[in-house]
Amino acid sequence: MLAAVYGAERVERMGDLAAHIAAHARIAHPAQAVPTELHPAFSRMGQTAADMADRVGELVSGPAQGGHAELVAADEVLDRLHGEVLAHVTASSWGHGPAAAASLALVARFFERFGDQAVSVAKRLEFAATGELPR
C-alpha cells in the first residue's frame, strides 16, 4: 500500500514537470523555444522521458521486477543530456543570451528530474513485487 501511495506522488510530480516543460514551449510560441543546435539533445530528452513514462505505466499494470534497472539506465541518458545542455548554454560561444540560457537550463533540469521521479516509482514497485529494495 505504501508503495502505491509513494508512487502516486511521484507520478503526479512527473505530470507537473511535463506541464512545466510544455509551458516553456507555449510561452516561446510562435518562436522556437530551443535553438536549432540543441534540437537533437532536447528531442532525445523528450523521447527518453516519454519512453520512461510508458515503462512506468507498464510496471504499474504488469510485472515490476527488473524495471528499476531499465529506468536507471534511461535516467543516465537524461543525466548525460542535461549535462550536455548545461555545457552548451554556459560556453563562451553561446550566442542566444542569458535569458535563453537560463530558460533552457531550467527545461533540461525538468527533464532530468522527470527521469529521477520515474526511477523512484520503479524502485518502489520493484520493492512491492519482490520484497527487496533495488540498489
Side-chain angles (χ1 to χ4, degrees):
M1 182 58 115
L2 290 175
V5 171
Y6 184 85
E9 289 176 4
R10 298 299 178 253
V11 170
E12 180 180 3
R13 183 67 183 135
M14 289 168 67
D16 293 343
L17 292 162
H20 294 326
I21 293 165
H24 274 271
R26 183 180 44 81
I27 290 167
H29 183 75
Q32 288 188 16
V34 177
T36 304
E37 66 267 23
L38 287 174
H39 281 186
F42 277 95
S43 178
R44 181 92 189 272
M45 279 192 274
Q47 188 60 59
T48 301
D51 291 346
M52 291 177 82
D54 289 345
R55 186 64 179 126
V56 166
E58 292 168 0
L59 295 173
V60 167
S61 62
Q65 194 166 1
H68 177 260
E70 293 173 40
L71 288 172
V72 165
D75 186 47
E76 289 171 358
V77 171
L78 285 179
D79 292 346
R80 182 182 49 77
L81 291 165
H82 175 241
E84 288 177 15
V85 169
L86 292 182
H88 194 83
V89 302
T90 59
S92 61
S93 61
W94 177 252
H96 302 282
S103 179
L104 293 170
L106 187 59
V107 172
R109 177 68 174 159
F110 291 153
F111 276 113
E112 188 273 332
R113 290 299 299 142
F114 184 97
D116 292 344
Q117 300 304 313
V119 167
S120 185
V121 172
K123 182 177 185 177
R124 295 301 170 168
L125 290 172
E126 192 158 328
F127 173 75
T130 66
E132 293 187 24
L133 203 56
R135 296 176 191 224

